[in-house]
Amino acid sequence: MTNYKTGQSITRTLLMIFFIILSLFVIYPLVYLVSSSFTPGNSIADIDIKPFAKGFTTAHFTYIFHKTDYKIWFLNTLQVAAVTTVVTMFVTALSAYVFSRFTFPLKKHLLMSLLILQIFPSFVGMIAIYVILLRVGGFDTLWGLELVYIAGNIPYNCWMVKSYLDTIPRSLDEAARIDGASHFLIFRKIIMPVARPIMIFLGITSFTGPWMDFIFPKMILRSADKQTLALGLFSFVTDKKNDFTLFSAGSLLIAIPFVIFFIFTQKAMMMSMGAAAVKE
């Protein structure tokens, strides 16, 4: 018995050491980013491996706000992410409800088409996207970028939300329909409150993609007043520039509203998951 307890203690100690080391590997890059944001100098060579070893300054943040177009980049990115999230959630929720609750011709074929579209990587269709945006006048515009994100979000998310709606008992729909509720009223008053957890998750993922993406903005946007945060920050660390501390400061500013967004949505998700338990 004593040997068994000793073995358990050793195992717990080893696991504790392992997770502490793993946590340090995860946390250190974040600490290094914060330290770089407040370190004097510009290049990565000016940053010591020890956080805050070379001093402390807020000059990088002052430079970003007064001598760059960071505010424009931020507003452009916020607009693209917000519009993409709202439209994706609305279209996906309606589409998933139709696929989950109604029977109509070619339903299985349409669902399979959505699944097949999601199989191919997004960069496979870049040439087609480029040509289509040129034809419709969406090249070098924020609405063209939003259109690309929305079109890319809908297929997989429609499958995901439909699978969640399939778990909601149809007896709720039938009871509401007996009381005279229309399909849209059932969707708005019955289905969506129960499906709030998956919709919050959908909102988070739909917002995250445009907020951090670099590839599609690089392909679509050309004008200086149309740049997003990813493009603007990348301009600090090109072959001609090595302003890594400015890049770190801008990245830190991006993370602040994003962390706040996650805090609020995480709380809402936990409350929704607790309230979404449905008994047949």
Side-chain angles (χ1 to χ4, degrees):
M1 188 67 178
T2 304
N3 293 335
Y4 176 75
K5 290 184 177 180
T6 304
Q8 277 192 326
S9 300
I10 294 174
T11 302
R12 282 197 297 265
T13 303
L14 292 176
L15 286 175
M16 185 67 68
I17 295 173
F18 171 76
F19 285 120
I20 289 175
I21 296 174
L22 186 63
S23 300
L24 291 176
F25 274 105
V26 174
I27 294 174
Y28 179 76
L30 301 178
V31 175
Y32 188 79
L33 175 66
V34 175
S35 173
S36 304
S37 304
F38 294 99
T39 299
N42 293 323
S43 69
I44 193 171
D46 296 325
I47 306 171
D48 196 273
I49 192 171
K50 297 179 181 179
F52 303 103
K54 292 190 174 182
F56 184 92
T57 181
T58 58
H60 306 311
F61 298 94
T62 304
Y63 183 90
I64 284 177
F65 280 110
H66 292 90
K67 295 185 179 180
T68 68
D69 294 328
Y70 188 86
K71 296 178 183 178
I72 296 176
W73 304 338
F74 186 90
L75 292 176
N76 289 342
T77 307
L78 182 62
Q79 175 187 327
V80 172
V83 171
T84 300
T85 301
V86 172
V87 177
T88 298
M89 292 179 68
F90 180 74
V91 175
T92 301
L94 284 176
S95 303
Y97 176 70
V98 170
F99 280 118
S100 176
R101 290 301 195 260
F102 294 92
T103 301
F104 51 89
L106 302 179
K107 175 182 175 179
K108 292 184 178 180
H109 295 83
L110 289 174
L111 284 172
M112 189 58 61
S113 299
L114 294 177
L115 185 61
I116 293 174
L117 286 174
Q118 201 62 35
I119 292 175
F120 299 98
S122 57
F123 60 82
V124 172
M126 280 188 172
I127 296 177
I129 293 172
Y130 187 90
V131 173
I132 292 173
L133 290 179
L134 278 177
R135 296 289 179 87
V136 301
F139 188 75
D140 195 25
T141 63
L142 294 180
W143 70 261
L145 183 61
E146 293 162 4
L147 187 63
V148 172
Y149 286 135
I150 293 169
N153 282 345
I154 290 176
Y156 171 75
N157 290 324
C158 184
W159 264 92
M160 180 179 66
V161 178
K162 175 195 174 295
S163 299
Y164 190 94
L165 298 186
D166 288 342
T167 64
I168 300 176
R170 292 178 180 269
S171 58
L172 297 176
D173 305 42
E174 296 170 357
R177 195 170 295 113
I178 291 174
D179 292 337
S182 63
H183 288 297
F184 186 76
L185 187 62
I186 295 173
F187 167 77
R188 186 166 60 91
K189 293 290 188 179
I190 306 297
I191 302 300
M192 282 299 98
V194 178
R196 190 178 302 171
I198 194 65
M199 296 306 299
I200 292 175
F201 175 78
L202 174 61
I204 293 174
T205 55
S206 299
F207 189 89
T208 304
W211 187 265
M212 299 188 299
D213 187 39
F214 174 80
I215 297 177
F216 282 111
K218 183 67 174 177
M219 182 186 74
I220 297 172
L221 304 177
R222 293 291 183 271
S223 303
D225 61 336
K226 300 291 194 307
Q227 301 291 290
T228 60
L229 284 169
L231 297 179
L233 294 179
F234 181 74
S235 65
F236 293 149
V237 288
T238 59
D239 294 335
K240 299 179 181 179
K241 298 178 67 176
N242 186 23
D243 296 330
F244 186 81
T245 51
L246 292 177
F247 177 84
S248 300
S251 301
L252 183 62
L253 290 173
I254 293 176
I256 292 174
F258 207 57
V259 169
I260 295 174
F261 175 79
F262 263 100
I263 289 174
F264 281 103
T265 52
Q266 182 184 24
K267 181 179 179 181
M269 177 175 286
M270 295 302 295
M271 293 176 62
S272 298
M273 291 180 70
V278 179
K279 293 184 178 180
E280 187 71 60

